[in-house]
Amino acid sequence: MVSGRAVMRIAFILGGLFALLGAARIVAGDRPGGLPARPVVVGLYENPPKVHSDAAGRPAGLFVELIEAVARAEGWQLRYARCDWADCLRRLEAGEIDLMPDVAFTEERSRRFDFHAVSVASSWSQVYSREDVRVQSLADLAGRRIALLRGGVQEQEIGRLMAEAQLQYQAVPVQSLAQAYEAVAAGRADAVVTNSFSAALRASEFRLRETPLLFLASNLYFAAAKGRHADLLARIDARLAAWRQDADSVYFDALRRALAPQQRERLAPWVPWALAGAALALLLLMLTSAWLRWTVAQRTAALTAAQHALQAQQAALERQVAERTAELTAANRALRQARDEAEAATRSKSAFLANMSHEIRTPMNAVLGTLYLLRRAGVTPQQAGQLDTVVAASRHLLGIIDDILDLSKIEAGQMALEQTTMQVGALVHGVAAMIGARAAEKGLSVRVEVAASGRSLVGDPTRLTQALLNYASNAIKFTERGGIVLRAHEEPAGERHALVRFEVEDTGIGVAPEAAARLFAAFEQADSTTTRRYGGTGLGLAITRKIAQMFGGEAGLRSEPGGGSTFWFTARLALGDGLAEPVPPSPAGAAVRPSAQGLRGARVLLVEDEPVNRLVALEVLRQAGLLVDQAENGEQAFALAQQRSGTATPYALILMDVQMPHVDGVEAARRIRQLEACRDTPIIALTANVFADDRERCRAAGMNDFLSKPFDPEALVARIRYWLDNGGRVAGAHTATSASGGA
C-alpha cells in the first residue's frame, strides 16, 4: 500500500513537469508545423502607455503586448529597433523596420505605408498648457511656444488650424512626448499638443493644465512599408478580429492595463501552468478551478463595463470635437469677415480722401486762376488790394485743406517717405530762407546753428522741411520781439544710421505746462484766445509729430509762459555713401530759372474736362504765346495727338488732367506713348489727387512731371518753359522724372 508521503512526492514531481511543459511552450512560441521562427523587426519609441520601455528597459505597452501575443501565435521572432518618432517613420519607409506600432491613419500616410483593417485603438489630439497659461481657444495660442512631436500628425494639423485662423506661433520641435512635457515644465514651451492616451497618463506628473482644444480624432494601427509585409498585416488583422469578439482575450486584458496603468502587472503566461501542477500535486484542483472561474467572471464584468464606459466617453469626445470644430470654423469666418470689413473701410477712406482732394482742389484752381487773370487784366489800386485779399484768403484756405489731407493721409497709411540723398545743413538754411522775409517784416532776427558731420544722409527732405517749417512758422506767429534760432545736430545711431535732432527756439509768448501736454493733438491750441488772436487750426504740430514718428523719432517742446519756447523733433536717417553733393535741379527747381528761349509759336495740347479750369488754363497759355488745342477727355486727346503726329509739327508738350470721364488721363497717356511721334513728347499731369500711388500710376503710364491743382499760373508757364527748353536732353525720361509741386 502506498503511503501518503509517497503520494505527495509524486504530486510535486507531476507539478514540476507541468510547469516545465508550460515554459517550453512559451519558449517554442507555438510555431505551426515546427517551422523556424520568422524574424520581424518592430520599431520602438517612447509613448507610454501605448509603446514604451519599462523600468527594467524591456519593451512594454498596449501595442507591445499585442504584437508579442501575435508573434507567439504565428511563430515570429521579434526584434525591437529603438528610435525617435521621425526616425522610426523614415526607417519604416526605407525597409529597415518591418512593423511600426501606434501609427495614426491619414490620407498622406496611406500613400507611404500599408495599414491593416481592424484598428487597435482610437485616440484624439489635445492641447495642454502650463498651469500659469490659460488657453480657451486658438486665439490664446497666438505668439505662444508650442511643443510638437517632430513628424507627428499633430505638427501638421496645428499648423493648418493656426494658418486658417491667421495666427502666428512658435513651434518647439521635440523627438518624443517626454521631451515635450519636460519643455513645458522647464519653461521652454508654453503648451504641448499630445494624444489622449499619453496625456491621461502623464499630465498630472508634469503639472499640465487641460484645455478644451480637441481635434484630429484618429484610429491607431500597425503600419508597414508600402507594398511590403502584407502577410504580417493580414495575420494581425485575423488575430485582432478574433480577440475583439472575446471579452476574455489578451486584447481586452492589455487594453485594461493601458487604461489603468496603476494596476498590478499581469502574471507571466507560465504561472497558470505552475499553479495547475501545484493544484494537481495538492489535490486541490476543484477548489482552484472554482476560484479561477470566479476571477474570470469578475474580470469579464469589469472589462465589459470598462468597454461600455470607453465607448460612451469616445462618443462624448467625438461630439465635443465636432462642437469645437464648428466653433473654430465660426470664429475663423468671423475673423475673415472682420478683416474684410477693415480692409473695405480703409479702401473707402482712401477713396474718400482722393475724391475730397479732387473735388476741393479743382474749384480752388478755378478760383485762383480767375483771380490771376483779373489781376493781369488791369484793375484799379483799390480793386487790386481787394483781389490780393481774396488771393491770400484762398491760399490760407488751401493751406488748411492741405494740412487736413496730410493728416488724413498719415492716419490712413497713404503717406510714403521718399529715400533721397540730402544734407542737413542745406535743409535748415533753406527753411531759414523761406521765413526770412516774414521775420524781417516783424523785426525778428533769424539764426542758424548746425552741428552736422557733413556726410550725406538718405531721407525725405520734403517732409522734413514741412515739419521744420511748421515749427518756424509758429515761432514767427507767436514772437513779437527778439529772434528765432534754427538748430540741427547729428548723433550716431549705429553703423548705418544717424539720429538728427531739429530745434526751433523763439523768444515768444511761451506755453503753459498744462497746455503743453495736449498741444501736439490735432485741432488743439494752447487756449481759445490764441486762435482768435493769432489764427491757425492746430494741425501743424500734430503733423510734425506724425512725420517725426514716421522717421522713427519723436517730437516735443520746452517752454514757460513769457519765456519763449523750444520745439524739437528727431528723425532716424540712413547714412549715405559719402559727403553730400549738390543735388541736380529737378523740374520744380529748374522752373524758377529764366528761360533761354521763348514760348511763342509752340503748339501744346490742353486736356481738361472742367470748363472753368480749361478756360483759365487756356487764357494763361495763350497769354504766354502758346498755340493751344483743347480736349475734354482722354479719348479726344488721343485722337488729336494721333492726328497731329501725322504732320510735320506734332505737339511740343501735352498738359493732361488725370481724372476725366470716358477715358482718364492715365489711359490716354499710355495710348499716346504708343504713337511713334509722341514717344518723347513731354506730358505734364495736372492732378488734384494727393496720394503717392496715383503718381506712380502716372509715371508708369509715361508721364514726365506733375503739377498739383490749384497751380500757380506763373509756375505752370515756368514748368512748360523748362520742358520745352530741356525736352531734347530729357527725352525718354518719362519713367524716371520726379514729381513736383502739390501736397
Side-chain angles (χ1 to χ4, degrees):
M1 186 173 180
V2 181
S3 65
R5 181 175 297 177
V7 172
M8 292 295 293
R9 186 178 294 113
I10 292 171
F12 276 113
I13 292 173
L14 290 175
L17 290 175
F18 272 106
L20 291 174
L21 178 59
R25 289 186 62 191
I26 296 300
V27 173
D30 287 340
R31 294 190 294 273
L35 297 175
R38 173 175 178 176
V40 178
V41 180
V42 180
L44 181 67
Y45 79 108
E46 299 300 321
N47 189 17
K50 295 181 289 182
V51 183
H52 65 101
S53 300
D54 61 15
R58 296 186 301 268
L62 171 63
F63 279 84
V64 171
E65 288 191 43
L66 295 180
I67 196 62
E68 288 187 347
V70 174
R72 287 194 299 273
E74 298 295 334
W76 298 346
Q77 183 180 1
L78 300 182
R79 181 171 63 84
Y80 292 95
R82 299 180 186 274
C83 47
D84 59 58
W85 177 250
D87 187 47
C88 281
L89 293 183
R90 181 191 63 77
R91 294 175 66 181
L92 177 65
E93 191 170 14
E96 300 174 11
I97 293 175
D98 300 324
L99 291 175
M100 185 65 201
D102 189 24
V103 181
F105 178 87
T106 66
E107 291 296 333
E108 186 274 332
R109 285 179 175 172
S110 68
R111 293 190 288 271
R112 301 165 54 199
F113 309 114
D114 287 333
F115 296 81
H116 53 89
V118 181
S119 65
V120 175
S122 297
S123 179
W124 60 89
S125 298
Q126 189 167 4
V127 177
Y128 281 73
S129 67
R130 292 201 319 266
E131 284 188 323
D132 60 334
V133 176
R134 182 174 179 82
V135 176
Q136 294 295 318
S137 66
L138 276 182
D140 296 330
L141 293 176
R144 297 288 189 182
R145 300 165 298 170
I146 306 177
L148 298 167
L149 179 64
R150 191 188 303 274
V153 292
Q154 297 95 342
E155 183 179 32
Q156 181 178 2
E157 183 66 12
I158 197 69
R160 184 185 67 79
L161 290 175
M162 296 293 280
E164 288 183 355
Q166 297 184 347
L167 299 174
Q168 300 294 324
Y169 69 100
Q170 180 180 348
V172 181
V174 295
Q175 302 298 334
S176 67
L177 287 178
Q179 292 181 8
Y181 300 142
E182 291 169 358
V184 176
R188 297 191 301 275
D190 302 308
V192 57
V193 182
T194 181
N195 63 74
S196 55
F197 278 92
S198 179
L201 181 67
R202 311 202 68 179
S204 60
E205 175 187 352
F206 289 92
R207 303 176 67 85
L208 301 179
R209 179 198 291 267
E210 183 180 9
T211 77
L213 297 184
L214 305 172
F215 58 92
L216 202 65
S218 58
N219 291 329
L220 307 177
Y221 301 86
F222 289 93
K226 196 70 177 177
R228 301 180 182 177
H229 307 307
D231 58 328
L232 299 180
L233 299 176
R235 297 314 304 157
I236 292 174
D237 261 338
R239 294 293 175 179
L240 285 174
W243 288 339
R244 292 181 69 161
Q245 299 299 319
D246 181 6
D248 297 331
S249 67
V250 64
Y251 173 79
F252 288 104
D253 201 18
L255 186 61
R256 175 186 58 77
R257 279 190 292 277
L259 293 175
Q262 72 279 6
Q263 294 184 4
R264 186 174 55 190
E265 290 187 2
R266 186 182 177 188
L267 296 175
W270 55 268
V271 172
W273 289 91
L275 292 175
L280 181 63
L282 298 173
L283 301 177
L284 297 175
L285 180 60
M286 294 299 293
L287 180 61
T288 304
S289 177
W291 178 80
L292 287 174
R293 283 197 299 272
W294 179 83
T295 302
V296 169
Q298 293 295 318
R299 291 184 178 180
T300 300
L303 284 174
T304 302
Q307 182 180 11
H308 292 161
L310 180 62
Q311 290 173 347
Q313 183 183 16
Q314 182 175 354
L317 287 172
E318 288 176 353
R319 288 194 300 272
Q320 190 174 3
V321 168
E323 292 172 359
R324 293 292 188 271
T325 302
E327 291 174 1
L328 289 174
T329 302
N332 290 339
R333 189 180 300 112
L335 286 173
R336 287 194 294 269
Q337 181 178 355
R339 179 199 61 195
D340 294 342
E341 290 175 354
E343 292 176 351
T346 300
R347 290 192 296 270
S348 297
K349 184 174 183 179
S350 299
F352 172 76
L353 290 176
N355 290 334
M356 284 297 295
S357 172
H358 185 271
E359 295 302 323
I360 294 174
R361 289 171 177 271
T362 297
M364 285 298 296
N365 184 66
V367 170
L368 291 173
T370 303
L371 292 173
Y372 171 80
L373 294 177
L374 287 174
R375 192 75 164 78
R376 293 197 55 176
V379 293
T380 66
Q382 182 181 5
Q383 292 172 332
Q386 294 171 343
L387 288 175
D388 290 342
T389 300
V390 176
V391 170
S394 299
R395 294 194 180 279
H396 179 65
L397 175 60
L398 183 61
I400 295 174
I401 294 170
D402 287 342
D403 284 345
I404 294 175
L405 290 175
D406 275 349
L407 189 63
S408 300
K409 283 192 294 182
I410 294 173
E411 292 177 346
Q414 294 287 343
M415 180 177 285
L417 297 178
E418 295 184 358
Q419 297 298 314
T420 305
T421 300
M422 53 171 285
Q423 207 271 339
V424 172
L427 186 148
V428 178
H429 282 283
V431 172
M434 293 179 191
I435 66 171
R438 292 171 55 197
E441 289 176 359
K442 298 185 69 173
L444 303 176
S445 64
V446 177
R447 193 168 76 254
V448 174
E449 297 178 1
V450 176
S453 63
R455 288 180 56 88
S456 63
L457 300 176
V458 178
D460 190 333
T462 300
R463 293 303 173 190
L464 290 174
T465 298
Q466 179 183 2
L468 188 60
L469 188 58
N470 283 340
Y471 281 170
S473 298
N474 279 350
I476 294 176
K477 182 191 298 184
F478 296 107
T479 303
E480 298 299 332
R481 64 179 60 86
I484 298 168
V485 181
L486 278 66
R487 298 191 183 93
H489 66 271
E490 299 177 21
E491 298 176 0
E495 297 181 358
R496 299 179 177 272
H497 292 84
L499 185 68
V500 182
R501 182 182 179 94
F502 297 91
E503 293 183 355
V504 176
E505 180 181 357
D506 62 54
T507 57
I509 62 176
V511 180
E514 62 272 13
R518 68 176 189 274
L519 204 54
F520 283 90
F523 303 102
E524 287 286 350
Q525 292 278 13
D527 57 51
S528 59
T529 61
T530 300
T531 304
R532 291 196 296 269
R533 180 178 178 185
Y534 295 100
T537 61
L539 289 176
L541 296 183
I543 292 173
T544 294
R545 168 166 282 182
K546 290 184 179 295
I547 290 175
Q549 291 171 345
M550 292 176 67
F551 279 99
E554 193 46 82
L557 78 155
R558 301 188 305 273
S559 181
E560 60 182 31
S565 304
T566 299
F567 285 81
W568 58 268
F569 73 91
T570 57
R572 182 181 174 88
L573 304 176
L575 297 177
D577 295 331
L579 295 177
E581 297 180 358
V583 179
S586 66
V592 300
R593 298 199 306 265
S595 174
Q597 79 186 86
L599 303 180
R600 190 166 303 280
R603 182 172 293 277
V604 300
L605 175 61
L606 171 65
V607 188
E608 169 65 63
D609 68 314
E610 176 62 36
V612 177
N613 284 336
R614 190 168 63 250
L615 178 63
V616 170
L618 180 64
E619 186 63 27
V620 170
L621 297 177
R622 284 176 175 172
Q623 288 184 10
L626 294 165
L627 302 177
V628 186
D629 290 345
Q630 304 176 57
E632 297 181 7
N633 56 58
E635 189 174 2
Q636 294 180 6
F638 175 71
L640 290 173
Q642 188 177 34
Q643 179 181 353
R644 175 62 60 177
S645 65
T647 68
T649 56
Y651 289 120
L653 182 139
I654 298 175
L655 296 170
M656 180 73 71
D657 187 18
V658 174
Q659 190 169 336
M660 295 181 296
H662 303 302
V663 176
D664 63 15
V666 174
E667 178 61 25
R670 188 178 293 112
R671 294 182 185 181
I672 291 172
R673 283 298 181 208
Q674 296 175 357
L675 300 175
E676 183 65 31
C678 298
R679 290 188 181 277
D680 298 324
T681 301
I683 301 178
I684 300 177
L686 303 178
T687 175
N689 288 345
V690 297
F691 295 114
D693 54 357
D694 294 319
R695 296 188 173 186
E696 288 301 326
R697 289 174 55 242
C698 293
R699 285 194 184 96
M703 297 191 188
N704 299 79
D705 201 357
F706 305 89
L707 194 63
S708 293
K709 297 178 182 178
F711 53 79
D712 182 88
E714 294 180 357
L716 172 63
V717 173
R719 194 72 58 85
I720 294 173
R721 280 200 189 98
Y722 172 82
W723 284 107
L724 292 182
D725 289 349
N726 298 277
R729 293 192 295 276
V730 297
H734 49 268
T735 60
T737 55
S738 62
S740 56

